[in-house]
Amino acid sequence: MATLVQILAQGLSISAVLLLSALGLSIIYGVMGVVNLAHGEFVMLGAYVMVLLSAALSPWGAILVAPVVVGAIGLLVDRTLIRWLYHEPVKSMLGTFGLALVIRQLVLLVEGPDLRYVGLPLTASIPLGFGEELPVWRVALIGFAGLATVIVAVWLIRSDFGLRVRTATMDSEIAQSLGINISLVNAASFAIGTAAAGLAGALIAPLYSVYPGMGTTYLVGAFLVVVLAGLGDIRGLATWAVGIGLVTAAVAVPANDLLAQVVVWCLALAIVALRRDSLLPARV
Amino acid sequence: MIAALALAFSLPLFLSDYAIGLVALWLPLVVLAISIDLLWGENRIVSFGQGAFFAGGGYVAGLLLKGPAADTTGVNYELLGTGGGGGSTFDEVIKALSSPSIAGIPILVFPLAILACGLIGWLVGAAVFRTGSVEIYAPLITLGVGVVAGTVFLSIPEIGGSNGLSGIPAYTRELAPGSQSAIYLFNLIWVSVVYLGYWLFRSSRLGRLWRASGDDPVRLEALGVPVRRLRGAGFAVSCGLAGLAGALYAGSAGFVSAELAGVIFSVQALIWVAVGGPGLLFGPLLGVMAIKLGENFLSERLQESWQLLLGLLLIAVVLVAPKGLAGLPATVRELIGRLSQIEGKTSQIEARRT
């Protein structure tokens, strides 16, 4: 019973982070046909904002500031580099991987290679009986990530600008001919996608160690979700994020993280290989 | 071409032992670059996991070259607590596999490295080529393969864990012990054979079919070609080739570690091909030599900024010179062509004016 609760809590908090980072990836791919391999680095930047500002602004302030700062960096990157890579998936993968190396190395030069830690903003924990405790922060993390996802989803479905974003996702040329300012939509989507990654980074910073190379793990996990859900399909994301998170925790809690990673990847490969309709062709 | 080959084989006469040792280390990387070009240049598949197969081949070769732990010093093994006395099943297997040898070269190394990597590559390919957009899903799936392979290699104590496998003897340990030139020539023979095969393949019917299956898989499928099986087989061959490259590398560098399986190394290999020019016969060779020469001159002075430079280089190649070094003449010719077109037009206009 204790293990079960632990699996649920850990699994859902993994899912929450996966969902938040996969959301940004999926929006960016859907709107501008860019496969952003620097996405993990934006998660890392969010975590560093949390590390550097949580003393000055209080952890809560840092969590609010992180998406803004990272989104602004995303906007800058979009205007200088990403816009040359729109609708060229292969080129964009190489270009954004170069960007990832640059960001990681710059952080390494400025902040050094040491592991950094942040205290938990909520130190309380819920006693579960069985001598086990559940840190409140894990629950809060799940809540925050869910809330952010709902806000983005409502914004996409309800708002006027969201409608434009969805139109651009369907067909950017037609959208342009209808008078939609496509470059504004592109820039805003990239900023929002990276802001979501920054928020994810700020939320996980208190749970794990923060270092320049941490992004790769989150990038790979988020891509797994996006690949299984189908690139550009935002609705499938939540299901697959929860599924992967729970499977990871179900192996990691009784055994170890390494085995969990291997099991998840072998399962994912098998699902892709055996799926009847395979994966749908991705629109670029 | 023959002159270039003759020059390559006589290089040990002109260069110092140290320099030859360096170049000998770059030759296996050329084979790795060819395996990437086979996928990327010829079939539009970008793989972020080629290093995993390179490392896999390297570990196979390293284990067989060292033989059972008891035979070599076994320092590594004792440190890792697996015992230097031999007798475990793992040691027995290694002993059996490494015993058939000719002139100190365990002959099973190359078939084993190629087959093991090819087989795993075939399994990965089975998943990759089920997807609707291979161009997009292949890099993502191979990215995961690289990350997982890296962690798996790190966690197996029999292959050195996080220490890696060191003290691997060279293939030429009995033919010419301690000679850097011998290692260089051994690798050069392999590179020449692989390049010859690659050249013949590119101009063959199968090679054209392979290129077509990347350019327009749907049309080829409609013409009755089993595209999925063809690309799966080609992917497996490329992975086997990467395994061969790793096996050569292990015998030249004397050291293999899990870092080679990581995504960073795989991307470096992609950068060599990108700089050399994907899809051009001598692209892989030019790319490896150019980057490695640059790295050798610059990395001492730049230290940690080298990776920063590598990232910027990747961005620059993607944005400015998609055809790379080997494509530079074509790029320049195109530019001159455009310029002369403009010139022609202006002179026409001027002629009309007068």
Side-chain angles (χ1 to χ4, degrees):
Chain A
M1 189 62 200
T3 342
L4 203 67
V5 173
Q6 226 174 354
I7 288 175
L8 264 180
Q10 208 170 333
L12 285 179
S13 63
I14 295 173
S15 312
V17 174
L18 281 179
L19 180 59
L20 211 49
S21 33
L23 187 69
L25 270 183
S26 203
I27 291 176
I28 290 169
Y29 180 81
V31 174
M32 54 202 100
V34 166
V35 179
N36 182 21
L37 292 187
H39 210 66
E41 269 54 41
F42 289 103
V43 174
M44 180 264 286
L45 286 176
Y48 265 96
V49 170
M50 183 75 176
V51 168
L52 296 175
L53 295 184
S54 65
L57 292 176
S58 88
W60 302 105
I63 288 175
L64 286 179
V65 169
V68 178
V69 172
V70 177
I73 296 173
L75 192 64
L76 184 75
V77 167
D78 174 71
R79 290 294 88 189
T80 49
L81 170 66
I82 306 294
R83 66 185 178 128
W84 307 105
L85 305 171
Y86 286 166
H87 303 289
E88 302 226 34
V90 176
K91 248 187 170 184
S92 74
M93 282 186 238
L94 295 169
T96 51
F97 205 96
L99 174 69
L101 281 179
V102 171
I103 294 178
R104 202 180 309 157
Q105 222 52 32
L106 284 178
V107 171
L108 188 69
L109 285 176
V110 175
E111 289 295 317
D114 305 333
L115 300 180
R116 303 294 201 83
Y117 300 94
V118 195
L120 287 170
L122 295 170
T123 45
S125 48
I126 307 164
L128 295 173
F130 334 104
E132 298 279 342
E133 287 188 332
L134 177 65
V136 173
W137 183 246
R138 277 200 187 272
V139 182
L141 167 72
I142 298 167
F144 279 123
L147 186 69
T149 310
V150 169
I151 289 175
V152 172
V154 167
W155 169 78
L156 272 178
I157 297 165
R158 290 279 160 191
S159 78
D160 197 39
F161 197 77
L163 184 64
R164 284 176 208 188
V165 171
R166 282 183 293 138
T167 317
T169 311
M170 281 174 158
D171 192 323
S172 66
E173 267 176 43
I174 298 284
Q176 212 162 3
S177 74
L178 291 173
I180 291 173
N181 185 348
I182 203 81
S183 73
L184 186 69
V185 168
N186 284 336
S189 309
F190 198 82
I192 286 164
T194 48
L199 179 63
L203 289 176
I204 52 160
L207 284 176
Y208 305 98
S209 44
V210 176
Y211 58 99
M214 66 185 276
T216 318
T217 330
Y218 299 101
L219 172 78
V220 169
F223 261 116
L224 194 61
V225 175
V226 175
V227 165
L228 285 172
L231 274 171
D233 182 357
I234 294 175
R235 277 164 301 177
L237 289 179
T239 326
W240 283 107
V242 171
I244 291 172
L246 287 181
V247 171
T248 308
V251 182
V253 170
N256 59 54
D257 285 346
L258 174 76
L259 190 68
Q261 212 181 4
V262 175
V263 166
V264 164
W265 269 94
C266 290
L267 268 180
L269 278 183
I271 290 171
V272 171
L274 297 177
R275 201 139 62 172
R276 267 264 155 258
D277 54 348
S278 72
L279 293 165
L280 294 174
R283 277 177 294 103
V284 173
Chain B
M1 183 95 95
I2 291 169
L5 206 60
L7 180 72
F9 272 97
S10 56
L11 209 58
L13 299 175
F14 310 121
L15 289 180
S16 71
D17 224 32
Y18 171 73
I20 275 296
L22 264 184
V23 181
L25 215 52
W26 300 346
L27 290 177
L29 306 181
V30 175
V31 177
L32 177 63
I34 291 174
S35 86
I36 288 173
D37 189 52
L38 181 67
L39 287 183
W40 184 16
E42 299 288 295
N43 207 284
R44 303 190 178 197
I45 302 164
V46 173
S47 164
F48 282 109
Q50 213 67 2
F53 299 99
F54 183 80
Y59 276 120
V60 168
L63 287 174
L64 292 200
L65 276 170
K66 286 188 81 160
D71 280 354
T72 43
T73 56
V75 175
N76 239 335
Y77 290 87
E78 273 165 29
L79 268 178
L80 290 159
T82 47
S88 69
T89 356
F90 183 76
D91 280 348
E92 292 291 317
V93 171
I94 295 298
K95 195 174 181 185
L97 289 176
S98 61
S99 56
S101 66
I102 298 172
I105 305 167
I107 48 169
L108 283 178
V109 164
F110 296 109
L112 263 180
I114 294 171
L115 280 180
C117 293
L119 191 70
I120 295 172
W122 183 73
L123 287 175
V124 173
V128 168
F129 296 105
R130 295 284 297 202
T131 59
S133 304
V134 172
E135 266 184 43
I136 296 163
Y137 288 113
L140 303 182
I141 292 174
T142 49
L143 182 76
V145 170
V147 171
V148 171
T151 28
V152 169
F153 287 142
L154 271 181
S155 66
I156 303 177
E158 279 84 358
I159 59 172
S162 56
N163 292 328
L165 211 56
S166 57
I168 302 168
Y171 290 105
T172 53
R173 58 186 160 180
E174 280 181 22
L175 290 170
S179 160
Q180 295 293 327
S181 307
I183 298 177
Y184 170 79
L185 289 175
F186 184 83
N187 288 350
L188 187 60
I189 291 170
W190 273 105
V191 170
S192 310
V193 168
V194 170
Y195 241 119
L196 182 71
Y198 191 44
W199 178 57
L200 290 175
F201 169 77
R202 283 168 58 104
S203 47
S204 73
R205 208 184 110 80
L206 190 63
R208 286 202 298 275
L209 210 56
W210 171 245
R211 201 170 316 139
S213 72
D215 285 345
D216 198 339
V218 177
R219 180 177 297 183
L220 216 60
E221 187 97 59
L223 289 172
V225 179
V227 172
R228 206 178 275 173
R229 245 187 297 157
L230 178 71
R231 295 183 97 181
F235 189 78
V237 168
S238 162
C239 294
L241 208 54
L244 170 67
L248 286 176
Y249 182 82
S252 329
F255 177 65
V256 192
S257 71
E259 219 165 87
L260 294 175
V263 179
I264 298 278
F265 181 73
S266 295
V267 171
Q268 280 188 13
L270 278 176
I271 296 175
W272 306 331
V273 178
V275 168
L280 298 161
L281 183 59
F282 287 104
L285 181 70
L286 279 175
V288 170
M289 292 300 156
I291 297 276
K292 281 289 156 186
L293 276 175
E295 196 175 296
N296 210 36
F297 280 118
L298 292 176
S299 65
E300 244 175 64
R301 257 164 265 172
L302 295 177
Q303 307 252 340
E304 279 181 359
S305 321
W306 169 245
Q307 276 208 19
L308 188 71
L309 201 69
L310 215 57
L312 290 172
L313 186 70
L314 185 57
I315 295 173
V317 167
V318 168
L319 291 181
V320 184
K323 280 182 197 150
L325 275 181
L328 218 52
T331 314
V332 170
R333 226 177 295 140
E334 199 180 300
L335 234 106
I336 293 173
R338 249 189 255 164
L339 281 178
S340 63
Q341 255 184 358
I342 295 169
E343 249 172 51
K345 269 183 192 154
T346 41
S347 61
Q348 266 179 10
I349 292 166
E350 272 169 15
R352 241 180 265 157
R353 268 191 198 151
T354 48

